[in-house]
Amino acid sequence: MTTSTNHAISATIAHLRNHTWANTLISSPDYTAITTDSRRPKPSGEDTFFGATIATPTTIPHVLTLQRQQLTSPLSAPPAWLPATKEDAAALKKSGAAPTPGVNPADIIMIYDLGGAGVAGHPSTVHGGVVATMIDEAMSLAVAAHASGSGAGTTGDEGPGPSPSPSPSPSPSPSGDRNPRGKLFTSQLDVRYKKPVVTPQLLVVRARVVARVGRKYWVRAQAVQEDEAGAGGHLEWTKRKVVKADSMAFWIVVPENQAKL
């Protein structure tokens, strides 16, 4: 990281530590803060939406990305897709097939400080497309962590495994356009909106790669907020955490020397 990047992360952490829930997440020994590269618009125009359009005081002024230091090993076969209905979930269970993997332990935790009306669809409610964007960004970083071997190590059911060898990073282009995440593409994104996402308020998105077959990745994510009207009142550490959106996606990683999908 550059000095300016470290300063930006430190400033974001200092801001978010004023919130009890965010401070708890930041203080976890299992996670470390990393650069949210999509907040840096590229000369080509890449990441301008996330890094400029919705990076204003009334949209999403602050974002912090935390990556798990020991990534869990994903399944090596396609998992069951997220059931669409209770009936589908019951049928999956009755079939005896393995259930859809959960989101925990998350590979990536993104803390979004929602600024207000700039991301609203309905009054005080975040537009569904923006919610999907925030989920998609967290998923991209989870895929990148596994694709690049950037985690400090991986763990499976049998305990700690060997640290993966980092993939070689492509050389930066003269224009500074290089995206350190590589060429990652969402092929299918399925979002189940359960409750309105409130703004202004913090939103936490947890994302986890649950399966990988070659360059294909299956990812789960959930968007969570605190229940302001729930138990605990002004005691933030006792506020109920509510899943506002549940999601699953299918991603593809394209080799650097391949121009298109």
Side-chain angles (χ1 to χ4, degrees):
M1 293 184 195
T2 63
T3 301
S4 60
T5 299
N6 279 327
H7 176 74
I9 292 177
S10 296
T12 300
I13 289 175
H15 170 78
L16 291 174
R17 280 197 184 279
N18 294 316
H19 191 287
T20 303
W21 183 26
N23 185 51
T24 299
L25 295 172
I26 293 167
S27 300
S28 170
D30 296 327
Y31 290 85
T32 186
I34 64 170
T35 302
T36 308
D37 183 72
S38 52
R39 293 289 273 191
R40 178 181 65 86
K42 316 302 185 293
S44 65
E46 182 181 3
D47 288 326
T48 299
F49 177 64
F50 196 73
T53 304
I54 56 172
T56 67
T58 62
T59 55
I60 310 175
H62 303 282
V63 176
L64 182 67
T65 302
L66 305 174
Q67 180 176 303
R68 187 172 177 82
Q69 299 201 50
Q70 296 287 332
L71 300 178
T72 56
S73 299
L75 300 172
S76 57
W81 197 260
L82 190 64
T85 64
K86 291 181 179 179
E87 290 75 17
D88 289 343
L92 177 64
K93 184 176 182 180
K94 186 176 180 180
S95 72
T100 305
V103 74
N104 292 314
D107 298 323
I108 292 290
I109 297 175
M110 291 189 75
I111 305 173
Y112 293 97
D113 181 15
L114 305 178
V119 290
H122 294 289
S124 302
T125 302
V126 179
H127 190 287
V130 177
V131 175
T133 295
M134 292 187 285
I135 289 173
D136 189 73
E137 287 299 323
M139 286 180 164
S140 77
L141 289 165
V143 172
H146 283 267
S148 67
S150 61
T154 59
T155 61
D157 293 338
E158 302 303 322
S163 298
S165 300
S167 301
S169 299
S171 300
S173 65
S175 63
D177 260 2
R178 185 178 70 84
N179 186 336
R181 289 173 292 167
K183 294 182 178 180
L184 317 174
F185 296 91
T186 315
S187 178
Q188 180 179 352
L189 176 62
D190 189 352
V191 181
R192 312 291 169 79
Y193 298 95
K194 296 181 174 294
K195 292 180 179 293
V197 175
V198 178
T199 183
Q201 194 175 323
L202 285 189
L203 177 74
V204 171
V205 176
R206 300 174 182 270
R208 177 182 171 224
V209 172
V210 296
R212 175 184 181 179
V213 179
R215 295 186 289 109
K216 301 173 183 178
Y217 294 77
W218 288 259
V219 192
R220 290 275 283 110
Q222 289 183 336
V224 183
Q225 282 189 315
E226 289 185 323
D227 183 2
E228 293 293 332
H234 67 285
L235 302 177
E236 293 205 28
W237 58 87
T238 63
K239 288 180 180 176
R240 187 165 59 100
K241 308 303 185 285
V242 180
V243 175
K244 299 297 185 75
D246 202 0
S247 181
M248 189 166 185
F250 175 60
W251 284 70
I252 296 176
V253 176
V254 178
E256 285 294 330
N257 57 359
Q258 183 175 328
K260 297 180 180 179
L261 283 172

